[in-house]
Amino acid sequence: MKADTLLRKVHMECPLCDKTHEVEERKRVTSIVLKGEEVTYEERFYFCANADEEENEFETGAMTNENLLNARNAYRVKKGLLTSDEIVEIRENYGLSQVDLAKLLGWGEATVSRYESKAIQDEAYDTMLRLIKDNPLQALEFFKKNKNKYTTSKRVEIRANIVEKLDSYGKEYLTRQTLESEYANFEEPSDSNGFAILNIDKIEAMISYIAEKMSNLFKVKLMKILWYSDVLSYIENGTAMTGMVYRHESMGALPIGHYSLMNLENLNIKEEMSYNYDTMLHIYPTAGMDYSVLTAREKDILDKVVEKFKHYKTKDIVEYMHKEKAYIETDAGEIIPFSLAKEIRSF
């Protein structure tokens, strides 16, 4: 028998020994072959100490269904498909029933129910679900195409749910799309992006985290702190943190897409007037920001960079960056390769 863990003891009528007594509820990691693929998953079962050694385990119907669902989800993860929980999350995010979501996507009414409990979706269906996962505009397009499948009252309700999502994070999605499009030529790890792929969730968390530690944070200073954070991560771990690509500009290193970056809805940025009446972008922490995307090591790197530059004025950090080898050895408008940044000045 594979190694297992005791969860609890349950007093029940045992189907193996036909007696009412305490049986042990246990769990273990096991494997099964699904669609020609061996997958590993966690299963629960009951153990009867009174039964024969060869037949001392049993499952209830509910346990069997849960175990099979775990196995199917393990297969989904292995194949890069949405899990049943992720499908439920998409549906509930739009306030839809299983039948409502199936109609929205033009599927049979029982299709979503099967994917959430029994069947494994194929790639075509998975792609359709992903299209609406974070894109209420796409959900609205599907709704327009299939709205006649709903009653009038249901049609009004579903459209309102989608529009609410569009209002709440549709702008964030569109800005992300713009920023991602600017990185279309940098989708593979390379010396230009520090061998990391663009990670907008992490960028947003980094910016809010930095703003928590540094009250007087404006755009130009932020861009330099992001560059130094990426460079330190590259030096220490072999990869940058953000996946951004930086160019040699007059104000130092600036990431490609920095205008789009400043328009992300999840950032807390306010336009403020400087002493000479110039408009400046002041970055503040974002309430409720999810920092779980940052590892403890990444937070250490951010803390180190913040501690170095927190008392620098914008012109001071720009002048400091201008003396870096990576800046000196690149021309205006050129991408600053991370390999040149290995020799940054002392921290």
Side-chain angles (χ1 to χ4, degrees):
M1 184 174 66
K2 295 175 180 167
D4 54 55
T5 302
L6 175 65
L7 297 175
R8 60 174 180 158
K9 294 183 179 181
V10 182
H11 197 76
M12 64 185 297
E13 184 177 342
C14 177
L16 297 183
C17 66
D18 294 323
K19 295 178 182 178
T20 300
H21 67 102
E22 277 192 341
V23 297
E24 296 177 352
E25 182 181 347
R26 298 180 174 183
K27 69 175 182 179
R28 67 185 166 209
V29 174
T30 188
S31 59
I32 191 175
V33 175
L34 280 178
K35 296 188 174 186
E37 292 281 345
E38 183 175 0
V39 294
T40 302
Y41 67 100
E42 183 178 276
E43 69 171 357
R44 290 192 305 122
F45 62 96
Y46 286 121
F47 172 79
C48 172
N50 299 333
D52 294 337
E53 187 173 340
E54 293 183 358
E55 191 179 355
N56 53 19
E57 300 175 4
F58 68 95
E59 300 175 355
T60 63
M63 274 183 171
T64 299
N65 289 336
E66 181 184 340
N67 292 338
L68 286 173
L69 185 60
N70 288 344
R72 294 185 186 108
N73 280 334
Y75 176 89
R76 287 176 165 119
V77 171
K78 187 171 185 178
K79 290 297 185 179
L81 301 173
L82 293 166
T83 66
S84 58
D85 288 340
E86 289 173 323
I87 295 173
V88 171
E89 184 180 355
I90 293 170
R91 176 173 61 78
E92 292 182 344
N93 194 37
Y94 287 103
L96 301 174
S97 69
Q98 293 173 334
V99 172
D100 290 339
L101 177 56
K103 288 180 178 180
L104 180 77
L105 297 173
W107 299 347
E109 291 190 5
T111 304
V112 174
S113 174
R114 290 190 295 108
Y115 289 162
E116 289 183 9
S117 59
K118 297 177 182 179
I120 298 172
Q121 72 275 21
D122 60 26
E123 288 189 11
Y125 281 75
D126 194 78
T127 298
M128 291 184 72
L129 286 165
R130 289 181 185 276
L131 284 175
I132 68 169
K133 183 175 182 290
D134 296 310
N135 187 354
L137 282 175
Q138 183 62 65
L140 188 60
E141 288 302 311
F142 279 127
F143 172 76
K144 290 176 181 177
K145 180 180 179 181
N146 297 307
K147 63 182 180 181
N148 290 334
K149 295 182 179 181
Y150 303 104
T151 64
T152 301
S153 59
K154 180 62 73 171
R155 194 181 306 155
V156 171
E157 175 191 337
I158 291 175
R159 188 182 189 285
N161 288 346
I162 295 174
V163 169
E164 181 182 353
K165 288 300 170 188
L166 190 59
D167 289 341
S168 65
Y169 65 80
K171 293 178 181 178
E172 166 76 2
Y173 176 82
L174 292 174
T175 307
R176 282 177 174 238
Q177 287 285 87
T178 301
L179 182 56
E180 287 171 354
S181 69
E182 297 187 69
Y183 279 81
N185 293 326
F186 303 98
E187 294 181 346
E188 297 295 328
S190 69
D191 193 16
S192 296
N193 54 27
F195 297 94
I197 303 304
L198 185 71
N199 188 329
I200 298 177
D201 288 337
K202 183 169 288 188
I203 294 170
E204 289 178 335
M206 287 171 63
I207 291 174
S208 181
Y209 185 87
I210 293 165
E212 282 192 356
K213 309 281 184 175
M214 188 179 293
S215 59
N216 197 29
L217 182 64
F218 293 89
K219 179 182 175 181
V220 174
K221 187 174 182 179
L222 170 65
M223 296 300 114
K224 305 302 157 290
I225 291 173
L226 289 174
W227 184 78
Y228 276 107
S229 299
D230 270 332
V231 167
L232 276 186
S233 177
Y234 175 77
I235 292 171
E236 295 185 11
N237 305 314
T239 60
M241 293 170 65
T242 69
M244 289 195 292
V245 177
Y246 297 85
R247 291 190 188 279
H248 176 124
E249 303 290 352
S250 61
M251 299 298 286
L254 276 178
I256 290 175
H258 58 90
Y259 290 113
S260 299
L261 180 63
M262 290 292 96
N263 287 327
L264 288 169
E265 290 291 315
N266 287 341
L267 297 181
N268 185 9
I269 300 176
K270 293 180 171 58
E271 287 190 0
E272 298 177 0
M273 289 291 185
S274 66
Y275 67 93
N276 58 358
Y277 301 103
D278 286 336
T279 300
M280 302 180 70
L281 297 180
H282 195 163
I283 299 94
Y284 294 91
T286 301
M289 176 62 72
D290 179 12
Y291 293 122
S292 64
V293 296
L294 299 174
T295 66
R297 186 70 197 106
E298 287 171 338
K299 289 178 181 177
D300 287 342
I301 289 172
L302 292 174
D303 290 342
K304 186 184 296 186
V305 177
V306 167
E307 181 62 28
K308 171 74 176 180
F309 295 114
K310 65 182 179 181
H311 297 304
Y312 278 56
K313 294 180 180 179
T314 297
K315 67 178 184 63
D316 296 329
I317 193 171
V318 169
E319 289 175 1
Y320 189 93
M321 201 266 161
H322 280 176
K323 296 176 182 177
E324 296 289 359
K325 177 182 178 181
Y327 188 81
I328 294 171
E329 296 191 5
T330 52
D331 295 328
E334 283 188 346
I335 290 172
I336 302 175
F338 276 81
S339 56
L340 270 183
K342 284 186 174 181
E343 301 177 24
I344 58 170
R345 302 165 72 190
S346 173
F347 266 75

